[in-house]
Amino acid sequence: MSSPQVTNKEIKQEYHNAINKGLDNKQLRTNLRQAMDTLRNNRKNLIQTRFIDWQGLREKGKRLKQKNLRRLDELLELFEKNATRNGMQVHWARNADEANDIIYNLMVRHKISKILKGKSMASEEIHLNHYLESKGMQAIETDLGEVILQLLGESPVHIVVPAIHKNRYEIGELFHKKLNAPLESDPEKLNGIARTHMRKEFQEFKMGLSGVNFAIAQEGAIWLIENEGNGRMSTTASDIHVAICGIEKVVESFEDAAILDAMLAPSAVGSAITCYNNIITSPRKEGEMDGPKEVHIILLDNNRSNMLKDSHLYRSMSCIRCGSCLNHCPVYDKIGGHAYLSTYPGPIGEVITPQLFGINTCSPMLDLCSLCGCCSEVCPVQIPLAELIRDLRSERVGQGRKNVIGNDSSTRNFMESIQMKRFAQVATNPKIWRFAMASIGKIAPLIKPFATLLPLLKNWVQYREFPQISANLHTKIVQMEGVVYE
């Protein structure tokens, strides 16, 4: 993510460069298309064969998430009370710096220089790996996708499947080059190479880190979901377990969490259930053979409290991080996750990133949406993502409720504002609108040869064909309106 000191022009250029890089990478687009097709089909088939009332379940999930968000202040206090009673240590972090400092101080206190990580988007959000590296410490990934990315020196491209942009042949070459492994392309053999690589790390580590899928207030417990077993190793074989939990992950009861869990795996990868469901209620007790001696839970705010202020945008905090909106987005599968220049890509990234990091640092991201509405249709908790992206576009030009951080004049485009005002004047005056439509049909064929030279149009035809506008467009519109035109 760009720093606030970078100018708006430089930010736009950074996004354009990243987008063009994704569009020019044919292998990336092929990999994403194949992967997205598989995930979409798996989800569709599972929902049709395993669920009697999927839409009813979505409605229930939406209601319970909104219920929990309305009571989030008291649920957070209840969670802290019960988790502390269970023997876990709860820390509060207002921002990324505080969360990183908590983890660093724990490592210093226990004389630890290396931490093993299960998959955690919250740790990516606070840039934990880079922070620890700057302190001379190591954060080693253990999730297969994250291992691949760490070897590549890249950030995740997807919320659920972080290395989905790489195929098995590319991964085989990477392991051959970085791990001195035999050149393989069979998925089972590639998994074996990664397992062998990580096993020695698990034999000697002292601190493990994880994210949190659900934090249950009534029980003071955390629920972790994964498919590889590395998460269970990171949280049970270590002496110290640190879990980073965004405050929106807190729900009231196991019943609430179970409803959301029932939708998570089907929405994410089209499977009925995940391989591992780890529910942690306390550190290791006397007589138990495994489990950490200490459990530390970091409740991360990082502008989430500010997100709750807005009567519309707060709905984005209902997200259960399934990634289904990415899987169905016609923009994401063309440019890839890195083009969003954010921890969270895709439609959900466009909604939460400006609220977490400031709309002035990432406003071009809001243009990476066709407003087709696919994301809203597939979201398991019915977040109206397309509607919220429109809301944020209003915020960007100074017409919204002004509750988003970083909402200043640097995001405003004077010419864009003038053009939209003129369009509104034309579109709301029937006579002018009909005249404009009649004129466009006659003028379009004349200006088509010069489209690459004309302002606005040259940007359009750089990536799209010149629109085919019928000469009798106006007549058709009038007929549709039922108006007799002489």
Side-chain angles (χ1 to χ4, degrees):
M1 182 58 58
S2 303
S3 65
Q5 290 75 27
V6 179
T7 67
N8 192 45
K9 183 177 181 180
E10 290 172 326
I11 292 173
K12 285 185 176 180
Q13 188 59 52
E14 191 177 356
Y15 271 95
H16 278 295
N17 293 341
I19 292 165
N20 288 332
K21 185 177 179 181
L23 290 172
D24 292 339
N25 190 334
K26 293 183 179 180
Q27 187 62 62
L28 168 75
R29 294 172 66 180
T30 299
N31 294 347
L32 285 174
R33 167 60 72 180
Q34 292 175 347
M36 297 298 106
D37 285 348
T38 299
L39 293 175
R40 285 194 292 263
N41 289 332
N42 287 349
R43 172 189 176 276
K44 179 181 178 180
N45 294 335
L46 184 75
I47 289 173
Q48 290 177 343
T49 57
R50 289 290 296 265
F51 290 88
I52 298 173
D53 185 13
W54 175 255
Q55 296 305 322
L57 187 60
R58 291 180 69 211
E59 180 64 30
K60 186 177 290 187
K62 168 190 171 182
R63 289 200 305 268
L64 75 87
K65 280 297 293 186
Q66 291 185 354
K67 174 198 71 174
N68 285 305
L69 288 174
R70 286 194 295 268
R71 300 178 53 213
L72 188 57
D73 53 349
E74 62 180 273
L75 291 180
L76 284 166
E77 292 182 357
L78 180 62
F79 174 80
E80 180 187 31
K81 174 185 175 182
N82 289 331
T84 302
R85 182 196 62 197
N86 291 342
M88 298 190 279
Q89 301 178 50
V90 178
H91 308 263
W92 297 82
R94 288 175 296 182
N95 51 42
D97 290 338
E98 289 190 3
N100 285 327
D101 285 343
I102 291 168
I103 296 170
Y104 170 71
N105 290 329
L106 284 172
M107 294 177 73
V108 170
R109 185 195 313 165
H110 293 281
K111 299 179 180 180
I112 294 170
S113 61
K114 180 171 62 177
I115 184 171
L116 264 59
K117 294 175 58 188
K119 189 174 181 302
S120 167
M121 291 304 295
S123 73
E124 297 288 344
E125 177 185 324
I126 65 176
H127 303 295
L128 175 65
N129 292 19
H130 296 294
Y131 175 86
L132 292 181
E133 185 179 354
S134 71
K135 297 290 187 179
M137 296 179 172
Q138 282 184 291
I140 298 177
E141 303 289 352
T142 64
D143 174 85
L144 178 57
E146 298 282 3
V147 169
I148 293 167
L149 293 174
Q150 193 163 45
L151 292 173
L152 287 168
E154 295 182 2
S155 57
V157 300
H158 194 281
I159 292 174
V160 176
V161 196
I164 199 170
H165 62 309
K166 296 296 181 183
N167 62 35
R168 56 195 177 102
Y169 301 103
E170 293 172 296
I171 295 169
E173 292 175 0
L174 175 69
F175 286 177
H176 178 62
K177 179 180 178 181
K178 295 288 188 176
L179 303 180
N180 296 318
L183 186 59
E184 300 285 356
S185 60
D186 179 73
E188 186 174 344
K189 291 180 179 178
L190 293 174
N191 277 322
I193 292 170
R195 191 182 304 114
T196 300
H197 169 65
M198 292 308 306
R199 188 161 290 164
K200 62 180 182 298
E201 300 289 353
F202 280 120
Q203 289 174 348
E204 55 188 28
F205 82 120
K206 294 183 178 180
M207 180 181 286
L209 180 137
S210 74
V212 174
N213 291 97
F214 311 109
I216 296 89
Q218 287 182 352
E219 305 295 335
I222 56 176
W223 188 339
L224 315 179
I225 297 169
E226 50 140 343
N227 279 312
E228 298 177 17
N230 63 299
R232 180 166 291 181
M233 289 287 289
S234 299
T235 60
T236 60
S238 59
D239 291 334
I240 303 160
H241 169 208
V242 178
I244 307 178
C245 177
I247 57 174
E248 79 282 8
K249 299 294 184 69
V250 176
V251 296
E252 182 176 11
S253 65
F254 270 119
E255 288 77 9
D256 287 352
I259 291 171
L260 298 174
D261 178 55
M263 294 188 290
L264 180 51
S267 299
V269 293
S271 64
I273 193 172
T274 50
C275 296
Y276 296 89
N277 283 271
N278 308 314
I279 297 175
I280 299 172
T281 59
S282 72
R284 183 192 306 180
K285 296 179 181 178
E286 186 175 352
E288 292 182 337
M289 300 298 293
D290 61 10
K293 298 176 182 176
E294 296 180 17
V295 176
H296 297 264
I297 302 171
I298 300 173
L299 294 174
L300 177 66
D301 189 322
N302 209 27
N303 287 319
R304 286 165 170 81
S305 294
N306 192 69
M307 292 167 68
L308 278 172
K309 291 180 182 178
D310 192 279
S311 59
H312 292 258
L313 296 172
Y314 88 96
R315 289 175 288 182
S316 59
M317 293 183 70
S318 296
C319 177
I320 59 175
R321 301 293 190 268
C322 69
S324 188
C325 59
L326 282 71
N327 301 344
H328 291 77
C329 177
V331 177
Y332 174 87
D333 71 6
K334 303 296 187 302
I335 60 177
H338 288 154
Y340 293 81
L341 301 179
S342 168
T343 301
Y344 303 105
I348 187 60
E350 292 177 59
V351 172
I352 65 176
T353 298
Q355 299 183 78
L356 292 176
F357 301 105
I359 197 169
N360 55 333
T361 69
C362 57
S363 65
M365 172 191 283
L366 296 170
D367 296 324
L368 301 179
C369 176
S370 66
L371 296 178
C372 68
C374 284
C375 51
S376 305
E377 291 181 13
V378 300
C379 176
V381 288
Q382 298 186 349
I383 302 172
L385 291 161
E387 178 184 330
L388 298 184
I389 290 171
R390 287 195 297 270
D391 282 351
L392 285 164
R393 287 179 178 178
S394 296
E395 294 286 343
R396 181 174 64 179
V397 297
Q399 297 178 354
R401 291 173 296 280
K402 299 180 176 61
N403 290 328
V404 181
I405 62 171
N407 188 357
D408 56 39
S409 59
S410 68
T411 64
R412 319 254 165 89
N413 185 313
F414 177 73
M415 286 303 299
E416 181 184 24
S417 299
I418 294 296
Q419 291 158 3
M420 293 308 296
K421 286 180 181 178
R422 288 178 179 171
F423 174 78
Q425 291 170 352
V426 173
T428 54
N429 187 310
K431 290 184 179 180
I432 297 177
W433 177 257
R434 292 183 186 121
F435 175 77
M437 292 299 100
S439 301
I440 289 174
K442 296 176 182 178
I443 295 173
L446 301 177
I447 64 176
K448 183 176 180 179
F450 309 101
T452 57
L453 304 175
L454 297 174
L456 299 181
L457 271 178
K458 65 181 181 181
N459 293 332
W460 177 275
V461 297
Q462 182 178 359
Y463 301 106
R464 308 170 181 87
E465 293 182 359
F466 187 88
Q468 299 297 317
I469 302 175
S470 172
N472 61 352
L473 173 64
H474 171 248
T475 303
K476 291 180 179 179
I477 292 175
V478 171
Q479 290 172 347
M480 289 173 64
E481 293 176 345
V483 177
V484 178
Y485 177 72
E486 298 292 335

